[in-house]
Amino acid sequence: MKIADYFIHRRPIAWLLTLAIVVFGGISYQDLGRLEDPEFTVKEARIYTRYPGATPTEVEEEITHHIEDAVQQLSQLKRVTSSSWNGLSEVKVVIRDQFRADSLPQIWDELRRKVNDISRKLPPGASKPVVVDDFGDVYGIYLALTGEGFSNRELYDQARFLKRELLQVANVAKIQIAGQIPQQIKVEISRSRLSGLGIHPLAISDLLYRHNLVSDSGHLRIGDESIQILPNGGPQAVEALANLTLQGREGLVRLGDITHIEQEYREEPSQLIRNQGRAAVTLALSNVPGSNIVTLGDAVDQKLLELEQRLPAGMQLESIYSQPSAVKLSVAEFIKNLVEAVAIVIAVLLLAMGFRSGLLIGGVLLLTIGATFIVMQVLDINLQRVSLGALIIAMGMLVDNAIVVCEGILVRMEQGQNPIDASRRVISQTASPLLGATLVGILAFAAIGLSNDNTGEYTASMFYVILISLMLSWILAVTLTPVYCITFLKGGNASADSLYQGVIYSAYKSLLELVLKYRITTIILMLALLAMSVAGFGLVKRSFFPNSTQPVFYLDYWRAEATDIRATNQDILKIEKWLATQPEVVNYTSFVGRGAARHMLVYSPKYDNSSYAQIMIRSESADQIDAIGEKLVSWLDENLPDAEPKVRRIRLGPGREAKIEARFSGADPDVLRSLSEQAKQIMRDSQNAANVRDDWRQKIKQLQPDFSAQQARRTGLSRQDLIQALQQNFSGTTVGLYRDGTRLMPIVMQAQKKDRLNLDQIHDLPVWGRNRSKPVPLGELVSNVELNWIDPIIQRRNRKRTMTTSCDQQAGLASELFAKIKPQIEAIPLPPGYQLAWGGEYEDSTKANQALGKKLPLSFLAMLATVILLFGRLKQSLVIWLIVPLSLVGITAGLLGSGLPFGFMALLGALSLSGMLIKNAIVLVDQIDQEIAQGKPRMDAIVHSALSRARPVLMAALTTILGMLPLLSDAFFNAMAVVIMAGLAFATLLTLLVAPLLYAVIFKISATETTG
């Protein structure tokens, strides 16, 4: 090749380029962004609409239905699901897989316009729908502010100060504060005093509302000036509200004489947070997209050192979760694995190729990695689990090209050829086959990069890193490697035949000749092994993605639906006391009423539910999680038997929380509950199911006063008057806002505790009308008060009511439990109009494999076309491709022997293995073709080519296999590593034995076609 000649004759340029790669590769490594896991786009938005006082059915029909109508108009829509609660609609919008992050802002704008257009159809009393499109934002720096003796308001004030200061740190995008308990101005009225003085409750609410209004008093022109007029007497201290006066039957009455006014925390907060058992307010920081989270973490830590000096004595700022720290540990571990893999490969090269050749090829490997870092920085590919793993996976392939070139030049130099002539001859003969083999190796991973779903996006960097590194390895092999060989390798005077006279070569030659002699027997043996491996593969376990090795896990805790948050909190206090006694537990943070903020991409936050709580628990090591979880569940079963706890670990990669999900769809909630109960019973009867539940939760009680319109007309009262009276007695009515600096506190009017009537006295509740001076007892407006049971949540999926029944496995893999219960649940009779669909890990895995499978034909077609174009004939391509299925023998043996499951990453390993095998086979078949073209007898050409390519093929396989050793300890890559190591080990033998045999059979070469 001319480019090789260019560098051979201009060696200073070659050395300058080498120096540039070393220097800029080191700089790029330092500057590359760091992440723990690859980023993938959460293509989801949520639409919230409040409809106070409405039942879940009313919310579903009057709010959710219309919002779904608007969402359905989106051409980019993949799925719409919804949840309708008492007074709240939540619609989840999921966009199709092919749309990536850069197109989402435009899609969300279109969604807002459509939702805004439909909002005119919503009933009076409904709020304006709110579209939340930052649902996928990750708050990777998570802090808790605590302090003994400090009130929640004092903690919140300091949290606001910290937020203001931390937002000044470069690349901090947003900060969420959580854990604030809202304050309110409580105005407790005495009904007896009001009746005695003839004061209507509306008079009090109107007074408080008007007193806090901000209104424009106008401007006065004096000469050329315009002066604002602003009367004083606006918002004052809370205590001053008691001095407001209103007109009673006997004159002016002071508000404080008929009410009790107090500033207090809400009795029923929406969320309570504690860290290590101490009340806390949290700050969650997100970074600007594309910024280096590790650098940001260092900058935030530096800023916090300064800010902590300004906090009141006794306040502490503690870390709940630190993505920068996790990334540092994760990347450091992978860099260690990468260094170990490089060291292993170089050691193998030194032992097998000799000191000079081994050192030379090892140096080319390091240059390839350095050049890869440079291109990764240019293309903004971060260092993370998958990209670093890709480098380790590609390690053996990265030295393939250099081995073939170096081996060819060394052989010719040992035969006495001039180094420059030897380099030219080798490059001219091998450049095209090596390029074709390299392209095949890259195309084997192409389906990963082309896959559109979240799983494909999550693993896409594997394809891009392998594409970059393999192409660079070929470029360096045909440009710089000849220069290094000319400079460092020494020649000799050995004959061509003497190079393959060792014991290993002699044994291999004898075995190969035996295989070529007993062709039919060998083929039958190979087919038998293939059949056994196909049968054995059915015994291999299945999975999707493994759990993370982070020492963090969660307790999701549910009480019966509609449990008061204060009762839920009491249970969590008991659990915290137990956790405090466990020596393995390093830290725990409790979130009552709502889950934690999204602090990692694979974590999906839980929203408001008074019966729900979550505890994030950190142990000393990930190995202790299962034991702690088992002890915790056992303690909960004994001490809090009515609860529904679920211990779960952080998962790696996209997915969902429940491993097994059965979705029943249909119109009637009672039928759905019946079908769900049957499925749950099957799950329980399996003896291996845990966390059995459905997503509609338990039915809840609802009091329903039967309003009599006829009786109401006689009194001049309406249903709205009844509703206001009930709300004021039991929950309190918001009558205005109190302005306190930057805060707005609701003013809540409620009956005094001694006047609040319980259920037994509800008929005596006084009901006021706007135009009445005296109240009417509720009993005169209501014919009866019924206690009903209603569904607390109505879930829909793609416009159909859908109940999802779910569970996890107690032991083993979810796929094993799923295989057991699937036929039983599918045997449940479904009424007409009802459907069953499977979700969970089965659906995630199926969709990921389907998305990958759609791209596989294109990938394999490109690989096939490359091989055909390389040789220009079909027979050579047939020889090469017939090798690929036989790799299943090694894959099956490896997975069954290790006990590891065949998951998504193992599938990627099998695909990449096909590229490695074809790559090796191309080099061998091309050598046979070249020797036959040179006039050598065809059988001699087969044997000699196999001998001459044995060392490069074995070296490529050995470096790949041993380079994978560091990945065996990584939960994410271990199954993939076993597939490649075991498959390649067996398939390499096939390449050296069966490929020559297939060549001889397909080209009908007899054993007599030899010089003897």
Side-chain angles (χ1 to χ4, degrees), residues 645-686:
K646 177 177 179 177
V647 173
R648 61 184 176 92
R649 299 181 64 163
I650 299 171
R651 68 176 185 273
L652 291 173
R656 65 193 83 189
E657 293 174 9
K659 295 288 188 180
I660 299 173
E661 291 180 347
R663 292 194 298 265
F664 294 98
S665 299
D668 189 338
D670 291 333
V671 175
L672 292 177
R673 283 194 179 274
S674 173
L675 295 172
S676 176
E677 285 302 321
Q678 294 177 65
K680 285 194 279 188
Q681 191 57 50
I682 290 171
M683 291 174 178
R684 295 187 188 102
D685 291 344
S686 71

Side-chain angles (χ1 to χ4, degrees), residues 841-856:
E841 188 178 272
Y842 172 79
E843 182 180 42
D844 292 335
S845 178
T846 301
K847 287 186 175 180
N849 293 341
Q850 286 175 348
L852 190 65
K854 288 178 182 178
K855 307 301 179 183
L856 278 179

Side-chain angles (χ1 to χ4, degrees), residues 660-664 675-676 678-684 805-807 817-830 836-838:
I660 299 173
E661 291 180 347
R663 292 194 298 265
F664 294 98
L675 295 172
S676 176
Q678 294 177 65
K680 285 194 279 188
Q681 191 57 50
I682 290 171
M683 291 174 178
R684 295 187 188 102
T805 307
S806 61
C807 70
L817 174 60
F818 179 73
K820 181 178 180 180
I821 65 175
K822 181 175 183 283
Q824 300 177 55
I825 293 178
E826 288 179 343
I828 297 174
L830 297 177
L836 166 65
W838 292 104

Side-chain angles (χ1 to χ4, degrees), residues 75-95:
S75 60
Q76 306 91 341
L77 183 68
K78 176 183 179 182
R79 181 175 65 251
V80 57
T81 60
S82 64
S83 304
S84 299
W85 287 279
N86 276 317
L88 178 66
S89 164
E90 179 192 52
V91 177
K92 305 171 190 174
V93 182
V94 181
I95 301 303

Side-chain angles (χ1 to χ4, degrees), residues 439-467:
L439 290 175
V440 167
I442 292 169
L443 290 170
F445 291 86
I448 306 168
L450 296 174
S451 180
N452 287 325
D453 72 331
N454 279 345
T455 307
E457 188 177 357
Y458 181 80
T459 55
S461 59
M462 178 178 292
F463 166 68
Y464 294 114
V465 170
I466 286 175
L467 166 65

